[in-house]
């Protein structure tokens, strides 16, 4: 089974399904999102969508935006339960009790597979800790945290420290840590419950090294619509040989993590 570990709700969904079919992807993790760059038809409309993304990455997403994103996710999951593996997000910086209640309501009550993609502002990754505490209390739900810019090298070290405090919670750094990919690999190598998704990695030997160092804790991912499933799968196949390691990265590792049969 080929599993894409990182994608966002598309509008329309058909464009996403077509890309998955072209890449031979059976199922994909689907995160809620407010920006929809795939809707853009010209530079001005793309700037509008990317401005929404920048506000989200700066911690500016409010409850109304979260509610709309979750409704879009619910609709996508209901339309194609055989293709999508839903994850739910929660706002950061809220009291612990509210965070725990939101994880219960927005993730476990919906039957979702994990929490993410969390996007704390730069140098504020400690805001993720209440979510990890709640994930721990729900039998170790997987948690995915944005790894590319504006996430900093300090943030990645904070994330590794938090992972060590909650060893039963599988914690995934997305986008291979962005520009700090060497730090991400080194930290994951030293932290058994830290995993890496390889989405939108733009240096091929970074993907090769990550798979070599962590063959059981790296995941093929596209970050669609920001990345492309065909390109992402081709990158993994360029740096691996046919066999167990490739099969693990393209789906086996994620299937084990999510308990898929």
């Amino acid at each position: 089974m080929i599993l894409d570990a990182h994608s966002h709700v598309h509008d329309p969904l058909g464009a996403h399904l077509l890309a998955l079919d072209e890449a031979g992807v059976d199922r994909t993790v689907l995160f809620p999102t407010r920006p929809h760059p795939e809707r853009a038809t010209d530079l001005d409309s793309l700037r509008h969508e990317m401005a929404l993304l920048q506000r989200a990455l700066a911690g500016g997403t409010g409850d109304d935006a979260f509610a709309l994103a979750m409704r879009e996710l619910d609709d996508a999951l209901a339309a194609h339960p055989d293709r999508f593996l839903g994850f739910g997000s929660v706002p950061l910086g809220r009291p612990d009790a509210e965070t725990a209640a939101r994880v219960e309501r927005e993730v476990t009550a919906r039957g979702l597979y994990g929490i993410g993609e969390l996007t704390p502002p730069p140098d504020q990754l400690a805001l993720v800790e209440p979510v990890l505490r709640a994930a721990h209390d729900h039998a170790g739900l997987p948690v995915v945290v944005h790894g590319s810019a504006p996430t900093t090298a300090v943030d990645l070290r904070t994330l590794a420290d938090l992972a060590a405090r909650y060893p039963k919670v599988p914690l995934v750094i997305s986008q291979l840590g962005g520009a700090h990919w060497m730090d991400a690999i080194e930290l994951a190598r030293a932290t058994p419950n830290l995993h890496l998704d390889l989405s939108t990695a733009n240096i091929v030997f970074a993907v090769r090294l990550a798979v070599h160092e962590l063959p059981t804790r790296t995941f093929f991912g596209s970050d669609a619509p920001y990345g492309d499933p065909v390109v992402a799968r081709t990158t993994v196949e360029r740096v691996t040989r046919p066999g167990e390691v490739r099969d693990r990265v393209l789906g086996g590792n994620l299937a084990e993590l999510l308990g898929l049969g």
Side-chain angles (χ1 to χ4, degrees):
M1 186 180 295
I2 306 299
L3 303 175
D4 183 339
H6 188 135
S7 69
H8 299 270
V9 176
H10 282 46
D11 180 24
L13 286 176
H16 193 187
L17 295 171
L18 179 60
L20 295 175
D21 289 343
E22 289 175 345
V25 173
D26 297 295
R27 305 183 76 182
T28 181
V29 167
L30 195 64
F31 300 124
T33 184
R34 284 299 301 116
H36 283 284
E38 72 281 4
R39 291 174 177 164
T41 57
D42 55 25
L43 183 59
D44 289 341
S45 56
L46 180 60
R47 285 189 184 280
H48 171 74
E49 296 296 339
M50 296 306 286
L52 292 176
L53 175 63
Q54 292 307 312
R55 285 200 292 275
L57 294 175
T61 301
D63 283 348
D64 289 345
F66 264 91
L68 178 57
M70 290 303 294
R71 285 198 298 273
E72 291 179 348
L73 176 68
D74 287 342
D75 289 346
L77 296 176
H80 300 281
D82 58 327
R83 302 301 298 274
F84 297 136
L85 303 162
F87 272 52
S89 191
V90 296
L92 301 175
R94 306 297 175 88
D96 285 10
E98 180 182 342
T99 298
R102 281 181 174 268
V103 168
E104 173 67 34
R105 183 174 68 250
E106 305 293 350
V107 181
T108 59
R110 279 181 157 96
L112 303 182
Y113 285 88
I115 304 169
E117 179 188 14
L118 301 180
T119 56
D123 296 321
Q124 297 185 51
L125 206 134
L127 292 172
V128 169
E129 183 165 14
V131 181
L132 299 183
R133 191 177 297 118
H136 176 272
D137 292 341
H138 286 281
L141 281 170
V143 177
V144 179
V145 179
H146 183 81
S148 190
T151 300
T152 67
V154 172
D155 285 328
L156 294 182
R157 289 194 290 274
T158 300
L159 194 60
D161 290 342
L162 289 173
R165 290 184 212 168
Y166 299 90
K168 294 183 179 180
V169 176
L171 192 51
V172 182
I173 299 173
S174 68
Q175 296 102 13
L176 191 50
H180 309 292
W181 59 269
M182 284 189 284
D183 295 315
I185 294 171
E186 185 174 34
L187 291 166
R189 190 174 58 182
T191 312
N193 59 319
L194 206 54
H195 307 254
L196 302 174
D197 94 41
L198 305 171
S199 60
T200 60
N202 58 7
I203 300 176
V204 173
F205 61 76
V207 177
R208 178 183 293 113
L209 184 60
V211 171
H212 177 266
E213 294 288 338
L214 297 158
T216 63
R217 286 189 280 134
T218 46
F219 310 129
F220 150 64
S222 66
D223 201 3
Y226 303 94
D228 183 271
V230 173
V231 174
R233 179 174 179 175
T234 300
T235 300
V236 170
E237 292 178 340
R238 287 290 293 171
V239 302
T240 58
R241 296 178 180 274
E244 181 182 1
V245 169
R246 178 184 288 180
D247 292 345
R248 277 190 160 276
V249 176
L250 288 178
N253 290 337
L254 184 62
E256 286 184 7
L257 183 70
L258 301 184
L260 303 178

